[in-house]
């Protein structure tokens, strides 16, 4: 593959991720504002962005550290919240085997809900493994860079943001924005509906286990619906 083709694939990935930044940027600002207003301090909070790079887990980590929670509790919470990445990794394992070892080691750092979704959709019609990895890199960095900037801005601005702005809307918006793209047939719709209902019902469960239960319910429903159509 020529360098120009690789650049095309990279910028295609970066361009594909642009629409979701509507929710990502204010979400990152929320994380920064939260970090700047807690006892852990803005610098430590800011470092969670490149180290963790997972919005919900990052926010939970900052809040738990500020509350003086035990290290085991903090780590366990972050792992539970990010457990869905195990499913993403399993789904991407096949295509990743075609990548050089250095790429297989580096690209998972950029794995997010958004990168997984758009890479999966792109790879359905893109057979070239070189174009695939450059697309993933573009999508991953297209999210990583704005996230770092938004978090830094949030830390600097801190509590100066009026509460009337209600930036909390960005958290569910980040994930809701993925639904129109990911739901393309009845199995996906059934999985989304069941997972959504179970997530609400299981929300009181400790350790955020409700997220895992909802994800498992959605997967089982989706697989069952897909088999029923075949």
């Amino acid at each position: 593959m020529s360098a120009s083709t690789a650049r095309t694939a990279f910028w295609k990935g970066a361009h594909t991720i642009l629409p979701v930044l509507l929710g990502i940027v204010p979400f990152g600002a929320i994380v920064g504002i939260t970090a700047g207003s807690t006892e852990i301090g803005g610098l430590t909070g800011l470092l969670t962005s490149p180290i963790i790079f997972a919005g919900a887990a990052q926010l939970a980590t900052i809040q738990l550290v500020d509350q003086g929670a035990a290290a085991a509790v903090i780590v366990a919470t972050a792992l539970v919240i990010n457990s869905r990445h195990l499913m993403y990794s399993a789904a991407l394992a096949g295509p990743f085997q075609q990548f050089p070892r250095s790429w297989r080691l580096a690209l998972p750092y950029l794995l997010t809900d958004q990168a997984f979704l758009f890479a999966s959709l792109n790879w359905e019609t893109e057979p070239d493994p070189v174009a695939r990895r450059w697309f993933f890199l573009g999508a991953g960095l297209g999210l990583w860079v704005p996230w770092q900037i938004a978090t830094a801005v949030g830390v600097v601005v801190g509590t100066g943001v009026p509460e009337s702005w209600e930036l909390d809307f960005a958290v569910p918006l980040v994930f809701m924005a993925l639904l129109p793209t990911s739901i393309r047939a009845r199995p996906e719709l059934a999985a989304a509906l069941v997972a959504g209902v179970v997530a609400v019902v299981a929300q009181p469960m400790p350790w955020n286990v409700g997220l895992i239960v909802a994800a498992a319910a959605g997967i089982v429903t989706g697989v069952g619906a897909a088999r029923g159509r075949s």
Side-chain angles (χ1 to χ4, degrees):
M1 172 176 280
S2 66
S4 61
T5 305
R7 285 195 298 271
T8 299
F10 175 87
W11 288 113
K12 182 179 180 181
H15 181 267
T16 302
I17 213 76
L18 284 178
V20 303
L21 295 184
L22 177 64
I24 289 296
V25 170
F27 190 3
I30 290 173
V31 172
I33 292 171
T34 302
S37 60
T38 59
E39 294 296 328
I40 69 173
L43 178 58
T44 302
L46 184 60
L47 289 176
T48 62
S49 279
I51 294 175
I52 301 177
F53 186 46
Q58 190 175 333
L59 187 59
T61 298
I62 292 172
Q63 293 172 334
L64 288 173
V65 171
D66 182 58
Q67 295 167 9
V73 173
I74 298 172
V75 173
T77 299
L79 289 177
V80 168
I81 293 175
N82 281 342
S83 59
R84 66 190 186 282
H85 285 239
L86 292 174
M87 296 181 287
Y88 297 162
S89 300
L92 297 178
F96 261 64
Q97 291 302 313
Q98 300 176 311
F99 300 166
R101 188 166 184 267
S102 59
W103 286 79
R104 295 201 307 270
L105 292 175
L107 286 183
Y109 169 70
L110 297 173
L111 179 60
T112 60
D113 303 276
Q114 295 79 12
F116 167 76
L117 172 62
F118 291 117
S120 298
L121 295 176
N122 174 262
W123 293 355
E124 289 180 357
T125 56
E126 177 54 76
D128 192 328
V130 179
R132 284 181 168 186
R133 66 176 183 254
W134 280 98
F135 179 93
F136 191 98
L137 180 63
L141 289 178
L143 192 64
W144 187 88
V145 172
W147 179 263
Q148 307 304 317
I149 296 174
T151 305
V153 170
V155 169
V156 173
V157 173
T159 57
V161 176
E163 293 185 4
S164 60
W165 286 19
E166 297 183 351
L167 294 178
D168 289 350
F169 80 94
V171 178
L173 179 62
V174 166
F175 300 100
M176 290 176 63
L178 302 178
L179 287 177
T181 303
S182 58
I183 297 177
R184 295 173 295 165
R186 289 184 178 179
E188 288 94 338
L189 178 59
L193 290 175
V194 170
V197 172
V198 174
V200 173
V201 174
Q203 192 275 332
M205 297 180 68
W207 299 93
N208 291 306
V209 174
L211 292 175
I212 299 178
V213 174
I219 292 173
V220 172
T221 301
V223 171
R227 288 179 177 177
R229 295 181 61 190
S230 61

